[in-house]
Amino acid sequence: MLRNIMILLAGANLFSCQNKVQNNQPVNEKIIAIQDSNTLDSNVVSTIELVENKEGFKEVILDNEYFLNEMKYATKDNFLKAKIYPCAKCYLRQQVSESLINASKIAKQKGYKLIVFDCYRPLSLQKKMFEIVSNKKYVADPKKGSKHNRGAAVDVGLANEDNTPLDMGTEFDDFSEKAHYSNSEISSIAKNNRLILRNIMTQAGFEPYENEWWHFNFKNVDFPLSDFEWSCQ
């Protein structure tokens, strides 16, 4: 599916980064710029960085006309009221990252951008979240983990091309019943916006979660739990 893969050389082929894996040992990484000519318009900077570690994650670059970077857990603007992530980067498994890029193109064709609230979440950071809010209704028990901890889930919303978020009936991480996709108490505008978002994401290969309008799991492909933590350099 991906074409025109170019390995970036900057004096050496391998760069050593202090990213964490489950055994807490540094890994060698090879950064690859990828142009997906099948799914992205030619006039957009459309690169994702492939971190070649044993778990195969890719960073989806959010600083372009297809996305709004609102990675909430890299700020204190979240229900935990605490900064959990070291910086606002979106890492996913390879198949999942490709599907998110496809979803961004579908949204763009309809006149929207995807707002990205959350992507892969390291298991160690899931444990920190659970220490702050140990309510399994809101935060998955790290003993079991979640699709986020596997790099196979995203939390997203929609914005207009002028970066104005669409009315979805609630804010992200509102854990009331109004956040349920089919809630009848929200406005007809919000219902329609949820439908638009769901159609975009399902067309790209994601499955919705009924209790959170923003949460989408990648289709029936399972990945192991991971504690890979990205570098902020």
Side-chain angles (χ1 to χ4, degrees):
M1 177 180 177
L2 296 177
R3 295 293 187 270
N4 305 326
I5 300 181
M6 178 180 65
I7 301 179
L8 300 181
L9 299 177
N13 289 331
L14 298 178
F15 294 85
S16 176
C17 297
Q18 296 299 313
N19 290 318
K20 294 193 299 184
V21 293
Q22 290 183 353
N23 61 6
N24 293 321
Q25 295 299 318
V27 297
N28 290 328
E29 297 180 347
K30 187 182 297 180
I31 305 301
I32 298 178
I34 298 176
Q35 177 77 35
D36 189 347
S37 58
N38 292 327
T39 58
L40 292 172
D41 295 342
S42 60
N43 63 348
V44 66
V45 177
S46 54
T47 61
I48 50 181
E49 293 178 1
L50 171 59
V51 181
E52 290 193 5
N53 65 11
K54 67 177 182 179
E55 299 179 88
F57 282 92
K58 288 185 178 180
E59 180 190 2
V60 179
I61 303 301
L62 303 179
D63 298 327
N64 54 55
E65 63 187 272
Y66 284 74
F67 297 102
L68 281 183
N69 187 341
E70 293 289 337
M71 295 284 288
K72 292 295 187 179
Y73 301 123
T75 74
K76 292 183 179 180
D77 182 21
N78 56 64
F79 78 103
L80 298 167
K81 306 301 180 185
K83 180 180 177 181
I84 300 298
Y85 294 171
C87 53
K89 290 188 177 185
C90 174
Y91 277 89
L92 295 166
R93 302 287 181 172
Q94 177 173 340
Q95 292 172 275
V96 188
S97 66
E98 292 167 4
S99 290
L100 183 61
I101 290 172
N102 286 340
S104 74
K105 181 189 176 185
I106 296 168
K108 179 69 173 177
Q109 291 172 339
K110 295 178 180 292
Y112 305 111
K113 294 182 178 182
L114 286 183
I115 305 173
V116 179
F117 299 120
D118 197 18
C119 298
Y120 159 69
R121 184 184 307 150
L123 187 61
S124 60
L125 302 186
Q126 182 77 25
K127 293 177 181 178
K128 290 183 180 180
M129 293 177 69
F130 198 70
E131 289 172 0
I132 297 173
V133 177
S134 56
N135 187 330
K136 296 179 183 179
K137 183 179 178 181
Y138 300 146
V139 180
D141 188 336
K143 293 180 181 179
K144 180 179 179 181
S146 72
K147 291 284 188 179
H148 280 295
N149 305 140
R150 293 171 166 83
V154 293
D155 294 337
V156 295
L158 281 179
N160 289 322
E161 290 183 323
D162 64 359
N163 295 340
T164 302
L166 271 60
D167 178 11
M168 292 293 181
T170 73
E171 298 294 324
F172 167 67
D173 268 0
D174 179 306
F175 297 108
S176 69
E177 291 189 358
K178 284 188 175 182
H180 296 186
Y181 173 79
S182 58
N183 184 270
S184 61
E185 298 179 14
I186 62 175
S187 69
S188 58
I189 293 176
K191 290 178 183 177
N192 187 61
N193 290 338
R194 289 183 181 185
L195 177 62
I196 294 171
L197 176 62
R198 176 172 285 203
N199 286 342
I200 290 170
M201 297 302 290
T202 55
Q203 186 177 341
F206 290 90
E207 298 175 343
Y209 175 53
E210 293 298 323
N211 291 342
E212 297 173 354
W213 59 258
W214 56 82
H215 182 96
F216 294 88
N217 294 321
F218 190 57
K219 58 189 178 182
N220 296 324
V221 176
D222 200 11
F223 298 98
L225 294 171
S226 175
D227 199 31
F228 162 72
E229 190 172 325
W230 56 88
S231 170
C232 293
Q233 297 178 352

